[in-house]
């Protein structure tokens, strides 16, 4: 939900007949006008480009952004700005109500351009700039007035930051900050008028990154504006830029859950009011009107799925409140506990355990649920999949294994290629839950998606007598083939060689390191699997090809352990359609009940 600049309306996404649509609502009258841009694609993001115009993009299963639409507030018909290409909003240009700036990637060609769309002229392309840089463009920077000033590119295994020269035409590579002990670093925001750049990187002696500003004229890096000694901000953090104040007002990053740090006095005051109004939940200010009077707040916890509230600060009143998930009450949901797990070498890992009942009523049947990525992590808060399983009587273990993002380099960076160690971490944490009396050793399962699907299958091979069954969704089973997948034209057109290079850097070249990769790939360890396996995959998946599951299923069958398989037409890396999600989780529910012998 986002509020209009004048504070009179909100725009929001909602589900209708299994499609995500968009609507506007007048706050005071609660009059709603719904609109949609396509009958087959979901709305992904919604923006206010002005008091009058709403802009939204669509989510495509394979492109992840398919087309851009704009509608005048109160109308039900949206103008097509771009119908079928990959489009991302660079700047809504709220001070220029006639235009928005967007980044367009031409399908399957690798070509890209910047487009300034004229909203008052039915989306006519007012100006077009083809990007001509060495390597692949990863992102753009605009200044406080919406002017293009910088670009991030990837070439020859290096991220480069190029900024517009004084002539406005040439592009110069930005500094490699000598003040930082090592790369990588991230540029987060640039202000051409102030000649100031916001960025984060690692100072000498620090194992987590810190936030700084850089003076483009003096060449000096500021003292740390923010630094957390335990949790890293290099990947997870983002800045809040207020287009009305034309200034960075704060930042967020993730510890166990999202942390918000405000630099602006008005926002500090707003947050204090919000937290007093909604105690016991994590409260994020997600949208503010031009006058900093009406604000949209999203509140959630482990047992609160999420609520949007519009607060009028002058009236000191909540003028609109809408639950993001209707029909779910706190009584239906289980508490998420925070646990610490010690591993050899002095590693201390963080994890979450959701129990279906009180601790003293254990041990419970347990599902180990490793996250995807692997360079990602689980966070504290409402999780629909976790609550689905807990509601059926299962304890759910989520471990941020070694290599998970967001922790010090001693945990995240040092072990980002230790896939075998990641699996062993999950196995050890499962055993510890048993030792604590919270999990029943005879009723253990492991389940995951994407890289989590790899962990589930690998754990069934590495420790064949621990789990009673394994479920892998969109899983990776042959690491060499997955590394090769990132060289496909589909990914080269979107990311250049970035994904391929990162995987090779972590695991080694699949040709020269094939013996090692086979030793940790479930595809070649099927003879060790003794438990029932379920495989779920979308046939149109381009992140992890469905052939990964099909080849693994054939290998398991040849070894005398035929898995249960579910393949879904048109689905990509995940299950987008509600009917497919229902079918998959009904099958999961039956599979777990049969193999863990539960009444859940």
């Amino acid at each position: 939900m986002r509020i209009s600049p004048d504070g009179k309306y909100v725009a929001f996404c909602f589900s209708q007949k299994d499609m995500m649509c968009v609507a506007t609502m007048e706050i005071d009258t609660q009059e709603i006008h719904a609109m949609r841009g396509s009958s087959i694609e979901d709305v992904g993001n919604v923006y206010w480009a002005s008091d009058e115009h709403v802009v939204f993009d669509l989510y495509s299963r394979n492109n992840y952004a398919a087309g851009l639409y704009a509608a005048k507030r109160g109308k039900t018909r949206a103008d097509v700005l771009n119908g079928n290409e990959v489009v991302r909003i660079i700047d809504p240009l709220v001070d220029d109500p006639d235009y928005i700036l967007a980044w367009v990637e031409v399908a399957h060609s690798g070509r890209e351009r910047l487009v300034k769309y004229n909203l008052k002229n039915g989306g006519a392309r007012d100006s077009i700039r083809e990007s001509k840089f060495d390597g692949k463009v990863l992102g753009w920077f605009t200044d406080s007035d919406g002017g293009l000033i910088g670009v991030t590119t990837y070439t020859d295994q290096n991220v480069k930051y190029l900024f517009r020269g004084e002539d406005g035409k040439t592009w110069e590579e930005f500094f490699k900050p000598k003040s930082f002990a090592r790369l990588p670093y991230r540029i987060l925001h640039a202000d051409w008028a102030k000649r100031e750049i916001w960025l984060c990187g690692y100072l000498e002696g620090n194992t987590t990154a810190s936030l700084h500003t850089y003076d483009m004229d003096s060449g000096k890096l500021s003292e740390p504006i923010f630094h957390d000694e335990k949790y890293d901000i290099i990947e997870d953090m983002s800045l809040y830029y207020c287009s009305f104040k034309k200034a960075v007002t704060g930042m967020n990053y993730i510890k166990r859950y999202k942390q918000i740090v405000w630099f602006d006095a008005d926002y500090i005051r707003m947050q204090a009011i919000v937290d007093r109004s909604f105690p016991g939940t994590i409260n994020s200010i997600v949208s503010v009107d031009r006058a900093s009077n009406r604000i949209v707040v999203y509140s959630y916890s482990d047992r609160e799925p999420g609520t949007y509230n519009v607060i009028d600060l002058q009236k000191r009143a909540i003028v609109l409140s809408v639950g993001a998930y209707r029909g779910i009450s706190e009584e239906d949901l289980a508490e998420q506990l925070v646990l610490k797990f010690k591993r050899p070498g002095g590693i201390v890992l963080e994890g979450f355990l959701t129990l279906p009942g009180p601790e003293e009523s254990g041990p419970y049947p347990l599902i180990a649920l490793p996250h995807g990525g692997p360079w990602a992590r689980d966070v504290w808060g409402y999780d629909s999949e976790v609550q689905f399983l807990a509601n059926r009587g299962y304890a759910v273990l989520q471990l941020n294994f070694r290599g998970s993002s967001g922790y010090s380099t001693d945990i995240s960076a040092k072990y980002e290629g230790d896939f075998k160690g990641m699996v062993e971490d999950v196995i050890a944490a499962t055993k510890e839950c048993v030792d604590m009396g919270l999990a029943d050793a005879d009723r253990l399962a492991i389940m995951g998606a994407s890289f989590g699907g790899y962990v589930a299958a690998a754990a069934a091979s590495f420790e064949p007598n621990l789990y009673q069954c394994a479920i892998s969704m969109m899983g990776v089973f042959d690491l060499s083939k997955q590394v090769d997948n990132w060289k496909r034209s589909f990914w080269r057109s979107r990311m250049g060689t970035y994904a391929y290079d990162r995987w090779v850097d972590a695991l080694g070249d699949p040709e020269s390191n094939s013996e090692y990769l086979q030793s940790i790939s479930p595809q070649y360890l099927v003879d060790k699997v003794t438990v029932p396996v379920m495989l779920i995959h979308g046939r149109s998946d381009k992140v992890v090809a469905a052939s990964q599951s099909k080849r693994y299923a054939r290998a398991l069958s040849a070894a005398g352990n035929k898995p249960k398989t579910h393949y879904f037409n048109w689905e990509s890396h995940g299950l987008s359609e509600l009917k497919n999600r229902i079918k998959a989780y009904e099958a999961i529910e039956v599979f777990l009940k049969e193999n863990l012998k539960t009444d859940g």
Side-chain angles (χ1 to χ4, degrees), residues 47-110:
Y47 311 84
W48 284 97
S50 67
D51 292 338
E52 296 289 325
H53 280 97
V54 174
V55 180
F56 57 95
D57 58 28
L58 302 182
Y59 169 85
S60 170
R61 295 177 180 87
N62 284 326
N63 289 331
Y64 300 100
L68 189 66
Y69 294 76
K72 194 169 183 179
R73 175 181 44 74
K75 302 294 183 182
T76 58
R77 186 183 68 83
D79 293 321
V80 181
L81 304 183
N82 190 313
N84 55 18
E85 293 176 310
V86 179
V87 186
R88 279 170 271 182
I89 296 289
I90 298 299
D91 200 321
L93 303 178
V94 293
D95 288 337
D96 191 352
D98 292 350
Y99 297 98
I100 60 169
L101 188 65
W103 175 17
V104 179
E105 296 183 81
V106 183
H108 307 297
S109 70

Side-chain angles (χ1 to χ4, degrees), residues 25-42:
M25 175 193 291
E26 186 174 2
I27 296 172
D28 292 336
T29 66
Q30 297 196 8
E31 181 180 358
I32 296 176
H33 294 275
M35 63 193 78
R36 61 191 304 176
S38 168
S39 61
I40 59 173
E41 305 290 1
D42 292 319

Side-chain angles (χ1 to χ4, degrees), residues 424-563:
E424 291 172 343
D425 287 341
V426 176
I427 290 172
T430 302
K431 292 179 178 179
E432 192 163 334
C433 288
V434 172
D435 293 340
M436 288 188 291
L438 299 175
D440 185 343
D442 296 323
R443 294 186 295 172
L444 302 174
I446 186 165
M447 166 179 162
S450 194
F451 183 81
Y454 161 80
V455 174
S461 295
F462 294 171
E463 194 83 12
N465 297 319
L466 179 62
Y467 300 103
Q468 278 70 59
C469 63
I471 301 171
S472 178
M473 298 183 284
M474 294 74 70
V476 175
F477 308 108
D478 189 327
L479 292 172
S480 292
K481 289 190 176 297
Q482 182 59 25
V483 174
D484 286 337
N485 176 68
W486 301 119
K487 292 195 294 186
R488 293 187 179 185
S489 60
F490 178 87
W491 291 109
R492 286 203 308 272
S493 68
R494 285 158 176 77
M495 303 176 70
T497 61
Y498 179 78
Y500 174 77
D501 290 341
R502 183 167 187 187
W503 276 66
V504 168
D505 185 58
L507 292 174
D509 186 276
E511 294 184 7
S512 60
N513 209 28
S514 60
E515 184 175 346
Y516 168 71
L517 293 180
Q518 285 190 14
S519 73
I520 60 172
S521 292
Q523 180 70 32
Y524 306 98
L525 303 172
V526 291
D527 58 320
K528 299 182 182 298
V529 181
T530 60
V531 299
V533 176
M534 172 179 280
L535 304 176
I536 297 171
H537 219 124
R539 286 193 170 95
S540 298
D541 194 345
K542 285 187 168 57
V543 178
V544 178
S547 58
Q548 287 265 1
S549 285
K550 292 177 180 178
R551 291 181 65 248
Y552 184 57
R554 289 196 294 270
L556 281 171
S557 296
N561 185 2
K562 185 177 180 179

Side-chain angles (χ1 to χ4, degrees), residues 22 69 95 100 110 131 170 173 207 262 342 350 461 531 547 567:
V22 67
Y69 294 76
D95 288 337
I100 60 169
S131 63
T170 58
E173 185 174 1
T207 59
W262 295 115
K342 293 182 179 180
E350 193 170 60
S461 295
V531 299
S547 58
Y567 301 107

